[in-house]
Amino acid sequence: MNAALMRAALVALCLVLVPPSTLDAQFGGRGRGERGRAEDAPENPPYDGRFTFVRIRYDVGLGGGGFGRRGRDLPWAHDYPRGERHFTKLFDELTTARVRTQESVILSLDDPELFKYPVAYMAEPGFWTTTEAEVEGMRAYLQKGGFFIFDDFRGQHWYNFEAQLRRVLPDARLVRLTVDHPIFDSFYKIETLVSRDPIYGAQPEYYGVFEDNDPSKRLMIIVNYNQDLSEYWEFSDEGWFPIDLSNEAYKLGVNYMIYALSR
């Protein structure tokens, strides 16, 4: 078995063989109806040099309170904490990186602590709003080498996301990525980007913003539109989604992190 097949098999084994009771014990016992909420978040752990999952919090725009099955969750906290706990556990097992698996960090864009972490993640940017200080903070973070992941939004939520991003990078070009971009071959070889969201039925699309708007330079931002990777991570131990979709979500997440850490 070649190295790529071995890695793919390991992902499947991690997802299938780790029982839900084990994951619940490791990650606070939160199930489908007992997800974490923003107000439950503990204080951030001190920086210690390990790779740490950073989730960005933001003030919510009009109409952005909790909705539907998510109860009192704020949009930026969707899939917290199980999404990142499951992902970092797998990332730790698959790579030689020193990974913090039991805790993550929640920061605002204007927090100086953000500059200690190379990758930042934001959920539901359809509800994202920015202050002037946050605009300046995010712009500086990207210019200094930070990598940003936008996830978990679809449909008309694109318009608010793009409007807020234009505040940060007024001249940014959002380029639709194809499967031949290096980010899709940084650890796993992603064969296709064609899939179907089993909840909303939309075709996921992936966009990027490049340094100096030059596709030959560093990718600074990746945008998962009509996609929700952390939803697959969160429920990968509960059988809500097909194993192959959960595997692909983990593969994409691992690729994003390896790309960001190696450039």
Side-chain angles (χ1 to χ4, degrees):
M1 183 182 291
N2 64 34
L5 287 175
M6 288 180 66
R7 291 195 296 265
L10 180 56
V11 174
L13 285 171
C14 287
L15 295 176
V16 174
L17 297 181
V18 179
S21 59
T22 301
L23 287 168
D24 285 343
Q26 290 173 337
F27 304 133
R30 298 187 186 279
R32 176 82 174 173
E34 194 184 350
R35 71 169 63 208
R37 298 191 301 269
E39 60 265 34
D40 298 330
E43 291 186 9
N44 288 332
Y47 176 77
D48 66 0
R50 285 183 290 172
F51 175 84
T52 302
F53 193 100
V54 174
R55 179 180 288 265
I56 299 298
R57 66 167 173 254
Y58 52 83
D59 287 334
V60 176
L62 183 64
F67 51 88
R69 62 181 172 81
R70 299 181 186 273
R72 290 186 292 162
D73 285 352
L74 289 169
W76 62 260
H78 285 176
D79 307 316
Y80 171 87
R82 283 165 43 93
E84 47 258 60
R85 299 294 193 273
H86 288 180
F87 175 78
T88 53
K89 176 67 174 176
L90 195 68
F91 190 57
D92 182 56
E93 293 176 354
L94 287 172
T95 71
T96 59
R98 295 175 58 245
V99 182
R100 189 192 295 271
T101 60
Q102 299 297 325
E103 302 165 296
S104 55
V105 167
I106 298 174
L107 297 172
S108 59
L109 289 169
D110 58 351
D111 193 323
E113 289 290 305
L114 181 59
F115 291 88
K116 295 179 179 178
Y117 303 97
V119 185
Y121 170 92
M122 182 185 291
E124 294 277 10
F127 298 106
W128 176 32
T129 64
T130 50
T131 66
E132 199 58 43
E134 289 169 337
V135 165
E136 294 175 3
M138 182 175 177
R139 184 184 302 131
Y141 176 74
L142 294 169
Q143 291 172 341
K144 290 180 180 293
F147 183 81
F148 219 94
I149 300 167
F150 287 99
D151 188 40
D152 189 7
F153 73 118
R154 55 198 57 80
Q156 295 189 8
H157 285 196
W158 175 273
Y159 300 113
N160 180 70
F161 154 72
E162 187 173 13
Q164 300 301 320
L165 184 62
R166 295 283 177 216
R167 294 195 64 204
V168 178
L169 299 173
D171 299 322
R173 287 178 50 234
L174 283 155
V175 178
R176 186 167 179 177
L177 301 177
T178 56
V179 75
D180 58 347
H181 187 274
I183 200 168
F184 300 119
D185 193 19
S186 59
F187 189 86
Y188 291 105
K189 175 66 175 176
I190 305 298
E191 300 292 345
T192 180
L193 299 179
V194 176
S195 64
R196 186 66 59 178
D197 185 324
I199 298 176
Y200 298 96
Q203 167 61 50
E205 300 173 7
Y206 303 89
Y207 293 84
V209 176
F210 293 90
E211 188 175 19
D212 299 327
N213 286 325
D214 184 346
S216 69
K217 293 187 177 181
R218 179 178 66 94
L219 184 66
M220 302 189 299
I221 295 171
I222 192 159
V223 180
N224 305 324
Y225 178 60
N226 289 332
Q227 177 63 291
D228 188 353
L229 297 186
S230 67
E231 185 91 349
Y232 293 113
W233 302 343
E234 180 179 10
F235 296 116
S236 60
D237 62 332
E238 296 192 16
W240 285 92
F241 301 112
I243 287 291
D244 59 339
L245 291 180
S246 295
N247 276 354
E248 289 303 307
Y250 276 116
K251 290 178 185 179
L252 286 168
V254 169
N255 276 24
Y256 292 176
M257 301 306 175
I258 294 297
Y259 178 91
L261 296 174
S262 60
R263 285 164 173 78

